mmCIF file with all atom_site columns, all heavy atoms in Angstrom:
data_model
loop_
_atom_site.group_PDB
_atom_site.id
_atom_site.type_symbol
_atom_site.label_atom_id
_atom_site.label_alt_id
_atom_site.label_comp_id
_atom_site.label_asym_id
_atom_site.label_entity_id
_atom_site.label_seq_id
_atom_site.pdbx_PDB_ins_code
_atom_site.Cartn_x
_atom_site.Cartn_y
_atom_site.Cartn_z
_atom_site.occupancy
_atom_site.B_iso_or_equiv
_atom_site.pdbx_formal_charge
_atom_site.auth_seq_id
_atom_site.auth_comp_id
_atom_site.auth_asym_id
_atom_site.auth_atom_id
_atom_site.pdbx_PDB_model_num
ATOM 1   N N   . VAL M 1 1  ? -3.528 7.004   12.370  1.00 96.00 ? 1  VAL M N   1
ATOM 2   C CA  . VAL M 1 1  ? -3.158 8.225   13.039  1.00 96.00 ? 1  VAL M CA  1
ATOM 3   C C   . VAL M 1 1  ? -3.339 9.402   12.090  1.00 96.00 ? 1  VAL M C   1
ATOM 4   O O   . VAL M 1 1  ? -3.824 10.457  12.449  1.00 96.00 ? 1  VAL M O   1
ATOM 5   C CB  . VAL M 1 1  ? -1.692 8.181   13.502  1.00 96.00 ? 1  VAL M CB  1
ATOM 6   C CG1 . VAL M 1 1  ? -1.230 9.513   14.098  1.00 96.00 ? 1  VAL M CG1 1
ATOM 7   C CG2 . VAL M 1 1  ? -1.538 7.093   14.599  1.00 96.00 ? 1  VAL M CG2 1
ATOM 8   N N   . LYS M 1 2  ? -2.955 9.201   10.818  1.00 96.00 ? 2  LYS M N   1
ATOM 9   C CA  . LYS M 1 2  ? -2.975 10.278  9.843   1.00 96.00 ? 2  LYS M CA  1
ATOM 10  C C   . LYS M 1 2  ? -3.480 9.702   8.539   1.00 96.00 ? 2  LYS M C   1
ATOM 11  O O   . LYS M 1 2  ? -2.718 9.144   7.755   1.00 96.00 ? 2  LYS M O   1
ATOM 12  C CB  . LYS M 1 2  ? -1.627 10.937  9.647   1.00 96.00 ? 2  LYS M CB  1
ATOM 13  C CG  . LYS M 1 2  ? -1.557 12.226  8.871   1.00 96.00 ? 2  LYS M CG  1
ATOM 14  C CD  . LYS M 1 2  ? -0.151 12.825  8.876   1.00 96.00 ? 2  LYS M CD  1
ATOM 15  C CE  . LYS M 1 2  ? -0.174 14.195  8.286   1.00 96.00 ? 2  LYS M CE  1
ATOM 16  N NZ  . LYS M 1 2  ? -0.512 14.249  6.862   1.00 96.00 ? 2  LYS M NZ  1
ATOM 17  N N   . ALA M 1 3  ? -4.782 9.859   8.275   1.00 97.00 ? 3  ALA M N   1
ATOM 18  C CA  . ALA M 1 3  ? -5.404 9.212   7.148   1.00 97.00 ? 3  ALA M CA  1
ATOM 19  C C   . ALA M 1 3  ? -4.862 9.661   5.810   1.00 97.00 ? 3  ALA M C   1
ATOM 20  O O   . ALA M 1 3  ? -4.930 8.939   4.811   1.00 97.00 ? 3  ALA M O   1
ATOM 21  C CB  . ALA M 1 3  ? -6.956 9.458   7.182   1.00 97.00 ? 3  ALA M CB  1
ATOM 22  N N   . ASP M 1 4  ? -4.306 10.863  5.754   1.00 96.00 ? 4  ASP M N   1
ATOM 23  C CA  . ASP M 1 4  ? -3.758 11.380  4.517   1.00 96.00 ? 4  ASP M CA  1
ATOM 24  C C   . ASP M 1 4  ? -2.278 11.252  4.415   1.00 96.00 ? 4  ASP M C   1
ATOM 25  O O   . ASP M 1 4  ? -1.573 12.046  3.731   1.00 96.00 ? 4  ASP M O   1
ATOM 26  C CB  . ASP M 1 4  ? -4.208 12.824  4.287   1.00 96.00 ? 4  ASP M CB  1
ATOM 27  C CG  . ASP M 1 4  ? -3.696 13.765  5.350   1.00 96.00 ? 4  ASP M CG  1
ATOM 28  O OD1 . ASP M 1 4  ? -3.173 13.259  6.383   1.00 96.00 ? 4  ASP M OD1 1
ATOM 29  O OD2 . ASP M 1 4  ? -3.838 14.999  5.184   1.00 96.00 ? 4  ASP M OD2 1
ATOM 30  N N   . HIS M 1 5  ? -1.668 10.313  5.112   1.00 95.00 ? 5  HIS M N   1
ATOM 31  C CA  . HIS M 1 5  ? -0.232 10.075  5.089   1.00 95.00 ? 5  HIS M CA  1
ATOM 32  C C   . HIS M 1 5  ? 0.095  9.373   3.791   1.00 95.00 ? 5  HIS M C   1
ATOM 33  O O   . HIS M 1 5  ? -0.031 8.162   3.621   1.00 95.00 ? 5  HIS M O   1
ATOM 34  C CB  . HIS M 1 5  ? 0.226  9.241   6.311   1.00 95.00 ? 5  HIS M CB  1
ATOM 35  C CG  . HIS M 1 5  ? 1.674  9.233   6.506   1.00 95.00 ? 5  HIS M CG  1
ATOM 36  N ND1 . HIS M 1 5  ? 2.557  8.550   5.696   1.00 95.00 ? 5  HIS M ND1 1
ATOM 37  C CD2 . HIS M 1 5  ? 2.451  9.883   7.422   1.00 95.00 ? 5  HIS M CD2 1
ATOM 38  C CE1 . HIS M 1 5  ? 3.792  8.734   6.135   1.00 95.00 ? 5  HIS M CE1 1
ATOM 39  N NE2 . HIS M 1 5  ? 3.747  9.555   7.158   1.00 95.00 ? 5  HIS M NE2 1
ATOM 40  N N   . ALA M 1 6  ? 0.534  10.157  2.816   1.00 94.00 ? 6  ALA M N   1
ATOM 41  C CA  . ALA M 1 6  ? 0.703  9.641   1.416   1.00 94.00 ? 6  ALA M CA  1
ATOM 42  C C   . ALA M 1 6  ? 1.663  8.523   1.371   1.00 94.00 ? 6  ALA M C   1
ATOM 43  O O   . ALA M 1 6  ? 1.431  7.498   0.662   1.00 94.00 ? 6  ALA M O   1
ATOM 44  C CB  . ALA M 1 6  ? 1.118  10.800  0.519   1.00 94.00 ? 6  ALA M CB  1
ATOM 45  N N   . ASN M 1 7  ? 2.788  8.633   2.056   1.00 92.00 ? 7  ASN M N   1
ATOM 46  C CA  . ASN M 1 7  ? 3.813  7.639   1.917   1.00 92.00 ? 7  ASN M CA  1
ATOM 47  C C   . ASN M 1 7  ? 3.398  6.288   2.555   1.00 92.00 ? 7  ASN M C   1
ATOM 48  O O   . ASN M 1 7  ? 3.809  5.263   2.082   1.00 92.00 ? 7  ASN M O   1
ATOM 49  C CB  . ASN M 1 7  ? 5.118  8.156   2.509   1.00 92.00 ? 7  ASN M CB  1
ATOM 50  C CG  . ASN M 1 7  ? 5.718  9.224   1.663   1.00 92.00 ? 7  ASN M CG  1
ATOM 51  O OD1 . ASN M 1 7  ? 5.818  9.132   0.451   1.00 92.00 ? 7  ASN M OD1 1
ATOM 52  N ND2 . ASN M 1 7  ? 6.058  10.330  2.253   1.00 92.00 ? 7  ASN M ND2 1
ATOM 53  N N   . ALA M 1 8  ? 2.615  6.343   3.590   1.00 94.00 ? 8  ALA M N   1
ATOM 54  C CA  . ALA M 1 8  ? 2.148  5.062   4.188   1.00 94.00 ? 8  ALA M CA  1
ATOM 55  C C   . ALA M 1 8  ? 1.190  4.402   3.180   1.00 94.00 ? 8  ALA M C   1
ATOM 56  O O   . ALA M 1 8  ? 1.213  3.164   3.062   1.00 94.00 ? 8  ALA M O   1
ATOM 57  C CB  . ALA M 1 8  ? 1.406  5.362   5.493   1.00 94.00 ? 8  ALA M CB  1
ATOM 58  N N   . HIS M 1 9  ? 0.419  5.172   2.459   1.00 95.00 ? 9  HIS M N   1
ATOM 59  C CA  . HIS M 1 9  ? -0.443 4.603   1.415   1.00 95.00 ? 9  HIS M CA  1
ATOM 60  C C   . HIS M 1 9  ? 0.399  3.994   0.326   1.00 95.00 ? 9  HIS M C   1
ATOM 61  O O   . HIS M 1 9  ? 0.130  2.866   -0.168  1.00 95.00 ? 9  HIS M O   1
ATOM 62  C CB  . HIS M 1 9  ? -1.380 5.666   0.823   1.00 95.00 ? 9  HIS M CB  1
ATOM 63  C CG  . HIS M 1 9  ? -2.567 5.986   1.724   1.00 95.00 ? 9  HIS M CG  1
ATOM 64  N ND1 . HIS M 1 9  ? -3.596 5.101   1.935   1.00 95.00 ? 9  HIS M ND1 1
ATOM 65  C CD2 . HIS M 1 9  ? -2.837 7.054   2.453   1.00 95.00 ? 9  HIS M CD2 1
ATOM 66  C CE1 . HIS M 1 9  ? -4.496 5.627   2.777   1.00 95.00 ? 9  HIS M CE1 1
ATOM 67  N NE2 . HIS M 1 9  ? -4.032 6.875   3.120   1.00 95.00 ? 9  HIS M NE2 1
ATOM 68  N N   . LYS M 1 10 ? 1.460  4.695   -0.095  1.00 94.00 ? 10 LYS M N   1
ATOM 69  C CA  . LYS M 1 10 ? 2.329  4.150   -1.123  1.00 94.00 ? 10 LYS M CA  1
ATOM 70  C C   . LYS M 1 10 ? 3.025  2.859   -0.632  1.00 94.00 ? 10 LYS M C   1
ATOM 71  O O   . LYS M 1 10 ? 3.092  1.868   -1.365  1.00 94.00 ? 10 LYS M O   1
ATOM 72  C CB  . LYS M 1 10 ? 3.404  5.140   -1.526  1.00 94.00 ? 10 LYS M CB  1
ATOM 73  C CG  . LYS M 1 10 ? 4.285  4.652   -2.652  1.00 94.00 ? 10 LYS M CG  1
ATOM 74  C CD  . LYS M 1 10 ? 5.567  5.475   -2.790  1.00 94.00 ? 10 LYS M CD  1
ATOM 75  C CE  . LYS M 1 10 ? 5.326  6.745   -3.544  1.00 94.00 ? 10 LYS M CE  1
ATOM 76  N NZ  . LYS M 1 10 ? 6.605  7.458   -3.814  1.00 94.00 ? 10 LYS M NZ  1
ATOM 77  N N   . ASN M 1 11 ? 3.494  2.910   0.584   1.00 94.00 ? 11 ASN M N   1
ATOM 78  C CA  . ASN M 1 11 ? 4.156  1.704   1.158   1.00 94.00 ? 11 ASN M CA  1
ATOM 79  C C   . ASN M 1 11 ? 3.217  0.526   1.187   1.00 94.00 ? 11 ASN M C   1
ATOM 80  O O   . ASN M 1 11 ? 3.588  -0.608  0.914   1.00 94.00 ? 11 ASN M O   1
ATOM 81  C CB  . ASN M 1 11 ? 4.698  2.016   2.535   1.00 94.00 ? 11 ASN M CB  1
ATOM 82  C CG  . ASN M 1 11 ? 5.814  3.052   2.497   1.00 94.00 ? 11 ASN M CG  1
ATOM 83  O OD1 . ASN M 1 11 ? 6.387  3.285   1.460   1.00 94.00 ? 11 ASN M OD1 1
ATOM 84  N ND2 . ASN M 1 11 ? 6.115  3.588   3.642   1.00 94.00 ? 11 ASN M ND2 1
ATOM 85  N N   . LEU M 1 12 ? 1.959  0.748   1.625   1.00 95.00 ? 12 LEU M N   1
ATOM 86  C CA  . LEU M 1 12 ? 0.975  -0.314  1.586   1.00 95.00 ? 12 LEU M CA  1
ATOM 87  C C   . LEU M 1 12 ? 0.718  -0.833  0.207   1.00 95.00 ? 12 LEU M C   1
ATOM 88  O O   . LEU M 1 12 ? 0.590  -2.061  -0.032  1.00 95.00 ? 12 LEU M O   1
ATOM 89  C CB  . LEU M 1 12 ? -0.303 0.196   2.225   1.00 95.00 ? 12 LEU M CB  1
ATOM 90  C CG  . LEU M 1 12 ? -0.515 -0.063  3.722   1.00 95.00 ? 12 LEU M CG  1
ATOM 91  C CD1 . LEU M 1 12 ? -1.730 0.666   4.221   1.00 95.00 ? 12 LEU M CD1 1
ATOM 92  C CD2 . LEU M 1 12 ? -0.592 -1.552  4.056   1.00 95.00 ? 12 LEU M CD2 1
ATOM 93  N N   . ALA M 1 13 ? 0.624  0.059   -0.756  1.00 94.00 ? 13 ALA M N   1
ATOM 94  C CA  . ALA M 1 13 ? 0.411  -0.348  -2.102  1.00 94.00 ? 13 ALA M CA  1
ATOM 95  C C   . ALA M 1 13 ? 1.520  -1.231  -2.613  1.00 94.00 ? 13 ALA M C   1
ATOM 96  O O   . ALA M 1 13 ? 1.240  -2.282  -3.211  1.00 94.00 ? 13 ALA M O   1
ATOM 97  C CB  . ALA M 1 13 ? 0.241  0.885   -2.993  1.00 94.00 ? 13 ALA M CB  1
ATOM 98  N N   . PHE M 1 14 ? 2.765  -0.864  -2.395  1.00 93.00 ? 14 PHE M N   1
ATOM 99  C CA  . PHE M 1 14 ? 3.885  -1.707  -2.753  1.00 93.00 ? 14 PHE M CA  1
ATOM 100 C C   . PHE M 1 14 ? 3.824  -3.064  -2.024  1.00 93.00 ? 14 PHE M C   1
ATOM 101 O O   . PHE M 1 14 ? 4.072  -4.099  -2.612  1.00 93.00 ? 14 PHE M O   1
ATOM 102 C CB  . PHE M 1 14 ? 5.185  -1.013  -2.445  1.00 93.00 ? 14 PHE M CB  1
ATOM 103 C CG  . PHE M 1 14 ? 5.666  -0.123  -3.563  1.00 93.00 ? 14 PHE M CG  1
ATOM 104 C CD1 . PHE M 1 14 ? 5.799  1.244   -3.344  1.00 93.00 ? 14 PHE M CD1 1
ATOM 105 C CD2 . PHE M 1 14 ? 5.989  -0.597  -4.783  1.00 93.00 ? 14 PHE M CD2 1
ATOM 106 C CE1 . PHE M 1 14 ? 6.212  2.093   -4.360  1.00 93.00 ? 14 PHE M CE1 1
ATOM 107 C CE2 . PHE M 1 14 ? 6.449  0.249   -5.815  1.00 93.00 ? 14 PHE M CE2 1
ATOM 108 C CZ  . PHE M 1 14 ? 6.536  1.590   -5.573  1.00 93.00 ? 14 PHE M CZ  1
ATOM 109 N N   . LEU M 1 15 ? 3.455  -3.012  -0.769  1.00 95.00 ? 15 LEU M N   1
ATOM 110 C CA  . LEU M 1 15 ? 3.430  -4.223  0.028   1.00 95.00 ? 15 LEU M CA  1
ATOM 111 C C   . LEU M 1 15 ? 2.394  -5.215  -0.531  1.00 95.00 ? 15 LEU M C   1
ATOM 112 O O   . LEU M 1 15 ? 2.687  -6.400  -0.771  1.00 95.00 ? 15 LEU M O   1
ATOM 113 C CB  . LEU M 1 15 ? 3.064  -3.902  1.494   1.00 95.00 ? 15 LEU M CB  1
ATOM 114 C CG  . LEU M 1 15 ? 3.148  -5.047  2.473   1.00 95.00 ? 15 LEU M CG  1
ATOM 115 C CD1 . LEU M 1 15 ? 4.606  -5.463  2.723   1.00 95.00 ? 15 LEU M CD1 1
ATOM 116 C CD2 . LEU M 1 15 ? 2.484  -4.661  3.810   1.00 95.00 ? 15 LEU M CD2 1
ATOM 117 N N   . TYR M 1 16 ? 1.197  -4.688  -0.818  1.00 95.00 ? 16 TYR M N   1
ATOM 118 C CA  . TYR M 1 16 ? 0.144  -5.536  -1.401  1.00 95.00 ? 16 TYR M CA  1
ATOM 119 C C   . TYR M 1 16 ? 0.496  -5.983  -2.825  1.00 95.00 ? 16 TYR M C   1
ATOM 120 O O   . TYR M 1 16 ? 0.175  -7.108  -3.181  1.00 95.00 ? 16 TYR M O   1
ATOM 121 C CB  . TYR M 1 16 ? -1.184 -4.797  -1.362  1.00 95.00 ? 16 TYR M CB  1
ATOM 122 C CG  . TYR M 1 16 ? -1.784 -4.626  -0.006  1.00 95.00 ? 16 TYR M CG  1
ATOM 123 C CD1 . TYR M 1 16 ? -2.248 -3.356  0.411   1.00 95.00 ? 16 TYR M CD1 1
ATOM 124 C CD2 . TYR M 1 16 ? -1.918 -5.693  0.883   1.00 95.00 ? 16 TYR M CD2 1
ATOM 125 C CE1 . TYR M 1 16 ? -2.818 -3.180  1.685   1.00 95.00 ? 16 TYR M CE1 1
ATOM 126 C CE2 . TYR M 1 16 ? -2.485 -5.514  2.134   1.00 95.00 ? 16 TYR M CE2 1
ATOM 127 C CZ  . TYR M 1 16 ? -2.897 -4.280  2.519   1.00 95.00 ? 16 TYR M CZ  1
ATOM 128 O OH  . TYR M 1 16 ? -3.456 -4.113  3.771   1.00 95.00 ? 16 TYR M OH  1
ATOM 129 N N   . ASP M 1 17 ? 1.104  -5.100  -3.583  1.00 92.00 ? 17 ASP M N   1
ATOM 130 C CA  . ASP M 1 17 ? 1.418  -5.417  -4.955  1.00 92.00 ? 17 ASP M CA  1
ATOM 131 C C   . ASP M 1 17 ? 2.575  -6.428  -5.082  1.00 92.00 ? 17 ASP M C   1
ATOM 132 O O   . ASP M 1 17 ? 2.446  -7.438  -5.740  1.00 92.00 ? 17 ASP M O   1
ATOM 133 C CB  . ASP M 1 17 ? 1.793  -4.086  -5.650  1.00 92.00 ? 17 ASP M CB  1
ATOM 134 C CG  . ASP M 1 17 ? 1.933  -4.253  -7.176  1.00 92.00 ? 17 ASP M CG  1
ATOM 135 O OD1 . ASP M 1 17 ? 1.778  -5.371  -7.707  1.00 92.00 ? 17 ASP M OD1 1
ATOM 136 O OD2 . ASP M 1 17 ? 2.202  -3.242  -7.821  1.00 92.00 ? 17 ASP M OD2 1
ATOM 137 N N   . LEU M 1 18 ? 3.654  -6.132  -4.353  1.00 91.00 ? 18 LEU M N   1
ATOM 138 C CA  . LEU M 1 18 ? 4.891  -6.914  -4.554  1.00 91.00 ? 18 LEU M CA  1
ATOM 139 C C   . LEU M 1 18 ? 5.018  -8.150  -3.635  1.00 91.00 ? 18 LEU M C   1
ATOM 140 O O   . LEU M 1 18 ? 5.688  -9.111  -3.993  1.00 91.00 ? 18 LEU M O   1
ATOM 141 C CB  . LEU M 1 18 ? 6.096  -6.031  -4.327  1.00 91.00 ? 18 LEU M CB  1
ATOM 142 C CG  . LEU M 1 18 ? 6.237  -4.819  -5.291  1.00 91.00 ? 18 LEU M CG  1
ATOM 143 C CD1 . LEU M 1 18 ? 7.397  -3.942  -4.838  1.00 91.00 ? 18 LEU M CD1 1
ATOM 144 C CD2 . LEU M 1 18 ? 6.432  -5.309  -6.721  1.00 91.00 ? 18 LEU M CD2 1
ATOM 145 N N   . TYR M 1 19 ? 4.424  -8.067  -2.480  1.00 93.00 ? 19 TYR M N   1
ATOM 146 C CA  . TYR M 1 19 ? 4.694  -9.071  -1.434  1.00 93.00 ? 19 TYR M CA  1
ATOM 147 C C   . TYR M 1 19 ? 3.508  -9.889  -1.003  1.00 93.00 ? 19 TYR M C   1
ATOM 148 O O   . TYR M 1 19 ? 3.682  -11.050 -0.617  1.00 93.00 ? 19 TYR M O   1
ATOM 149 C CB  . TYR M 1 19 ? 5.334  -8.415  -0.216  1.00 93.00 ? 19 TYR M CB  1
ATOM 150 C CG  . TYR M 1 19 ? 6.621  -7.670  -0.570  1.00 93.00 ? 19 TYR M CG  1
ATOM 151 C CD1 . TYR M 1 19 ? 6.616  -6.279  -0.670  1.00 93.00 ? 19 TYR M CD1 1
ATOM 152 C CD2 . TYR M 1 19 ? 7.835  -8.334  -0.752  1.00 93.00 ? 19 TYR M CD2 1
ATOM 153 C CE1 . TYR M 1 19 ? 7.796  -5.583  -1.001  1.00 93.00 ? 19 TYR M CE1 1
ATOM 154 C CE2 . TYR M 1 19 ? 8.991  -7.663  -1.112  1.00 93.00 ? 19 TYR M CE2 1
ATOM 155 C CZ  . TYR M 1 19 ? 8.974  -6.300  -1.190  1.00 93.00 ? 19 TYR M CZ  1
ATOM 156 O OH  . TYR M 1 19 ? 10.125 -5.620  -1.543  1.00 93.00 ? 19 TYR M OH  1
ATOM 157 N N   . LEU M 1 20 ? 2.334  -9.266  -0.944  1.00 95.00 ? 20 LEU M N   1
ATOM 158 C CA  . LEU M 1 20 ? 1.160  -9.950  -0.420  1.00 95.00 ? 20 LEU M CA  1
ATOM 159 C C   . LEU M 1 20 ? 0.149  -10.448 -1.493  1.00 95.00 ? 20 LEU M C   1
ATOM 160 O O   . LEU M 1 20 ? -0.855 -10.963 -1.156  1.00 95.00 ? 20 LEU M O   1
ATOM 161 C CB  . LEU M 1 20 ? 0.440  -9.073  0.593   1.00 95.00 ? 20 LEU M CB  1
ATOM 162 C CG  . LEU M 1 20 ? 1.267  -8.810  1.849   1.00 95.00 ? 20 LEU M CG  1
ATOM 163 C CD1 . LEU M 1 20 ? 0.504  -7.903  2.818   1.00 95.00 ? 20 LEU M CD1 1
ATOM 164 C CD2 . LEU M 1 20 ? 1.654  -10.091 2.583   1.00 95.00 ? 20 LEU M CD2 1
ATOM 165 N N   . ASP M 1 21 ? 0.495  -10.163 -2.762  1.00 93.00 ? 21 ASP M N   1
ATOM 166 C CA  . ASP M 1 21 ? -0.320 -10.612 -3.875  1.00 93.00 ? 21 ASP M CA  1
ATOM 167 C C   . ASP M 1 21 ? -1.789 -10.277 -3.688  1.00 93.00 ? 21 ASP M C   1
ATOM 168 O O   . ASP M 1 21 ? -2.699 -11.103 -3.816  1.00 93.00 ? 21 ASP M O   1
ATOM 169 C CB  . ASP M 1 21 ? -0.164 -12.128 -4.046  1.00 93.00 ? 21 ASP M CB  1
ATOM 170 C CG  . ASP M 1 21 ? -0.705 -12.631 -5.352  1.00 93.00 ? 21 ASP M CG  1
ATOM 171 O OD1 . ASP M 1 21 ? -0.770 -11.847 -6.307  1.00 93.00 ? 21 ASP M OD1 1
ATOM 172 O OD2 . ASP M 1 21 ? -1.085 -13.826 -5.456  1.00 93.00 ? 21 ASP M OD2 1
ATOM 173 N N   . ASN M 1 22 ? -2.054 -8.999  -3.437  1.00 95.00 ? 22 ASN M N   1
ATOM 174 C CA  . ASN M 1 22 ? -3.395 -8.521  -3.276  1.00 95.00 ? 22 ASN M CA  1
ATOM 175 C C   . ASN M 1 22 ? -3.581 -7.263  -4.123  1.00 95.00 ? 22 ASN M C   1
ATOM 176 O O   . ASN M 1 22 ? -3.521 -6.130  -3.594  1.00 95.00 ? 22 ASN M O   1
ATOM 177 C CB  . ASN M 1 22 ? -3.660 -8.213  -1.773  1.00 95.00 ? 22 ASN M CB  1
ATOM 178 C CG  . ASN M 1 22 ? -5.143 -7.987  -1.481  1.00 95.00 ? 22 ASN M CG  1
ATOM 179 O OD1 . ASN M 1 22 ? -5.908 -7.478  -2.367  1.00 95.00 ? 22 ASN M OD1 1
ATOM 180 N ND2 . ASN M 1 22 ? -5.566 -8.339  -0.294  1.00 95.00 ? 22 ASN M ND2 1
ATOM 181 N N   . PRO M 1 23 ? -3.800 -7.451  -5.421  1.00 94.00 ? 23 PRO M N   1
ATOM 182 C CA  . PRO M 1 23 ? -3.889 -6.295  -6.299  1.00 94.00 ? 23 PRO M CA  1
ATOM 183 C C   . PRO M 1 23 ? -5.052 -5.388  -6.018  1.00 94.00 ? 23 PRO M C   1
ATOM 184 O O   . PRO M 1 23 ? -4.943 -4.192  -6.264  1.00 94.00 ? 23 PRO M O   1
ATOM 185 C CB  . PRO M 1 23 ? -3.992 -6.913  -7.731  1.00 94.00 ? 23 PRO M CB  1
ATOM 186 C CG  . PRO M 1 23 ? -4.440 -8.341  -7.467  1.00 94.00 ? 23 PRO M CG  1
ATOM 187 C CD  . PRO M 1 23 ? -3.831 -8.726  -6.172  1.00 94.00 ? 23 PRO M CD  1
ATOM 188 N N   . ALA M 1 24 ? -6.140 -5.895  -5.483  1.00 94.00 ? 24 ALA M N   1
ATOM 189 C CA  . ALA M 1 24 ? -7.315 -5.065  -5.174  1.00 94.00 ? 24 ALA M CA  1
ATOM 190 C C   . ALA M 1 24 ? -6.919 -4.002  -4.087  1.00 94.00 ? 24 ALA M C   1
ATOM 191 O O   . ALA M 1 24 ? -7.232 -2.834  -4.238  1.00 94.00 ? 24 ALA M O   1
ATOM 192 C CB  . ALA M 1 24 ? -8.483 -5.916  -4.695  1.00 94.00 ? 24 ALA M CB  1
ATOM 193 N N   . LYS M 1 25 ? -6.270 -4.494  -3.060  1.00 96.00 ? 25 LYS M N   1
ATOM 194 C CA  . LYS M 1 25 ? -5.807 -3.543  -2.041  1.00 96.00 ? 25 LYS M CA  1
ATOM 195 C C   . LYS M 1 25 ? -4.698 -2.659  -2.501  1.00 96.00 ? 25 LYS M C   1
ATOM 196 O O   . LYS M 1 25 ? -4.597 -1.479  -2.109  1.00 96.00 ? 25 LYS M O   1
ATOM 197 C CB  . LYS M 1 25 ? -5.425 -4.313  -0.738  1.00 96.00 ? 25 LYS M CB  1
ATOM 198 C CG  . LYS M 1 25 ? -6.607 -4.879  0.024   1.00 96.00 ? 25 LYS M CG  1
ATOM 199 C CD  . LYS M 1 25 ? -6.148 -5.348  1.433   1.00 96.00 ? 25 LYS M CD  1
ATOM 200 C CE  . LYS M 1 25 ? -7.369 -5.758  2.238   1.00 96.00 ? 25 LYS M CE  1
ATOM 201 N NZ  . LYS M 1 25 ? -6.990 -6.223  3.591   1.00 96.00 ? 25 LYS M NZ  1
ATOM 202 N N   . ALA M 1 26 ? -3.852 -3.220  -3.359  1.00 95.00 ? 26 ALA M N   1
ATOM 203 C CA  . ALA M 1 26 ? -2.799 -2.381  -3.948  1.00 95.00 ? 26 ALA M CA  1
ATOM 204 C C   . ALA M 1 26 ? -3.424 -1.225  -4.684  1.00 95.00 ? 26 ALA M C   1
ATOM 205 O O   . ALA M 1 26 ? -3.005 -0.055  -4.562  1.00 95.00 ? 26 ALA M O   1
ATOM 206 C CB  . ALA M 1 26 ? -1.928 -3.217  -4.856  1.00 95.00 ? 26 ALA M CB  1
ATOM 207 N N   . ARG M 1 27 ? -4.455 -1.486  -5.465  1.00 96.00 ? 27 ARG M N   1
ATOM 208 C CA  . ARG M 1 27 ? -5.101 -0.469  -6.222  1.00 96.00 ? 27 ARG M CA  1
ATOM 209 C C   . ARG M 1 27 ? -5.704 0.629   -5.298  1.00 96.00 ? 27 ARG M C   1
ATOM 210 O O   . ARG M 1 27 ? -5.543 1.809   -5.545  1.00 96.00 ? 27 ARG M O   1
ATOM 211 C CB  . ARG M 1 27 ? -6.255 -1.065  -7.072  1.00 96.00 ? 27 ARG M CB  1
ATOM 212 C CG  . ARG M 1 27 ? -7.131 -0.038  -7.804  1.00 96.00 ? 27 ARG M CG  1
ATOM 213 C CD  . ARG M 1 27 ? -8.168 -0.670  -8.691  1.00 96.00 ? 27 ARG M CD  1
ATOM 214 N NE  . ARG M 1 27 ? -7.573 -1.440  -9.760  1.00 96.00 ? 27 ARG M NE  1
ATOM 215 C CZ  . ARG M 1 27 ? -7.087 -0.866  -10.903 1.00 96.00 ? 27 ARG M CZ  1
ATOM 216 N NH1 . ARG M 1 27 ? -7.157 0.444   -11.051 1.00 96.00 ? 27 ARG M NH1 1
ATOM 217 N NH2 . ARG M 1 27 ? -6.553 -1.632  -11.819 1.00 96.00 ? 27 ARG M NH2 1
#
């Protein structure tokens, strides 16, 4: 909906980093 939604990007980064073990997507 909003490609520049900063907090959704941060939330995804935390999700991939901490919970889904996907450092490439976290980056």
Side-chain angles (χ1 to χ4, degrees):
V1 174
K2 191 174 189 297
D4 62 349
H5 194 286
N7 291 312
H9 283 289
K10 182 196 280 187
N11 292 345
L12 266 172
F14 274 115
L15 187 71
Y16 289 131
D17 189 359
L18 298 173
Y19 302 102
L20 294 179
D21 193 26
N22 192 328
K25 285 192 173 181
R27 175 177 294 281

